[in-house]
Amino acid sequence: MKRTINWTEAIATMRQTIRSLTNLDEKHVIEDYSLGTKPTLPFITVHPRGSLVMPVQHMHPMHEPVDTHISITIHAETETRALDIMDNLQANLRDPEIHYQVKQRGIIIVAILDPQDRSVIGINNSEQQYGFDLQIRLERNFESDLPTIEAIDSNNEKITKN
């Protein structure tokens, strides 16, 4: 089976972009901390939501645009600190220069969705969580192992693929 979208690279690109915008290091802009040690506050989790939407239907998945969502959550010691980081980050992700930079790496920022409080009441009152979903567009490329027919000769008439 051929791989169509490099999810690891897409998430790594967005984590790198967020690190440069927030001045947080790689230990504080992570995909998930459930399997390891929780970083010191503040930190940001960046992970795919797993949803795929094809904004334009194609007959085959070659150079097919695909929209998906990345969940971005800011974890901070106070509500105002979490709000401050979230608001600054979403504003910077709307900047045309940032759009240009990530587009050079194959990602189009489509929209920032649902900025909100993501804190869980009663679970951990010493940590505030605010976040949003980032809708991005990637290009799915697929190459089949099956041969393609480029031309057919039939009754001395050549039919070619357009």
Side-chain angles (χ1 to χ4, degrees):
M1 175 168 44
K2 302 276 185 184
R3 185 157 85 178
T4 60
I5 296 173
N6 188 336
W7 292 101
T8 303
E9 185 177 309
I11 296 300
T13 296
M14 292 314 305
R15 285 178 54 206
Q16 179 183 1
T17 301
I18 291 168
R19 281 196 310 266
S20 70
L21 293 172
T22 61
N23 292 321
L24 292 173
D25 64 21
E26 60 195 28
K27 293 179 182 177
H28 289 87
V29 180
I30 58 175
E31 189 169 342
D32 193 4
Y33 68 89
S34 61
L35 299 176
T37 306
K38 185 175 172 179
T40 58
L41 298 172
F43 67 92
I44 299 173
T45 55
V46 181
H47 62 275
R49 300 287 294 212
S51 58
L52 292 176
V53 176
M54 276 64 81
V56 179
Q57 289 294 341
H58 287 259
M59 294 302 291
H60 56 87
M62 185 57 139
H63 305 294
E64 178 180 49
V66 176
D67 284 9
T68 189
H69 297 95
I70 295 176
S71 177
I72 299 172
T73 304
I74 292 84
H75 304 254
E77 54 281 339
T78 65
E79 187 172 10
T80 54
R81 180 73 173 126
L83 277 168
D84 184 48
I85 294 170
M86 182 188 73
D87 189 51
N88 290 337
L89 181 57
Q90 65 176 329
N92 280 287
L93 286 171
R94 288 186 175 105
D95 185 320
E97 178 60 30
I98 301 303
H99 282 231
Y100 175 77
Q101 290 173 11
V102 297
K103 187 175 182 183
Q104 298 307 305
R105 306 274 312 267
I107 299 171
I108 296 172
I109 296 174
V110 177
I112 293 173
L113 307 169
D114 304 322
Q116 61 183 309
D117 183 351
R118 293 186 173 177
S119 299
V120 180
I121 297 174
I123 298 295
N124 187 353
N125 293 329
S126 64
E127 179 182 309
Q128 300 298 313
Q129 299 176 15
Y130 277 79
F132 55 91
D133 286 348
L134 184 66
Q135 182 180 354
I136 61 171
R137 183 166 295 144
L138 306 170
E139 185 176 274
R140 182 195 320 255
N141 286 305
F142 179 81
E143 294 179 17
S144 175
D145 292 332
L146 300 175
T148 58
I149 299 171
E150 299 296 327
I152 299 173
D153 285 326
S154 174
N155 295 331
N156 295 330
E157 181 179 341
K158 188 172 185 174
I159 303 170
T160 58
K161 181 179 169 184
N162 290 339

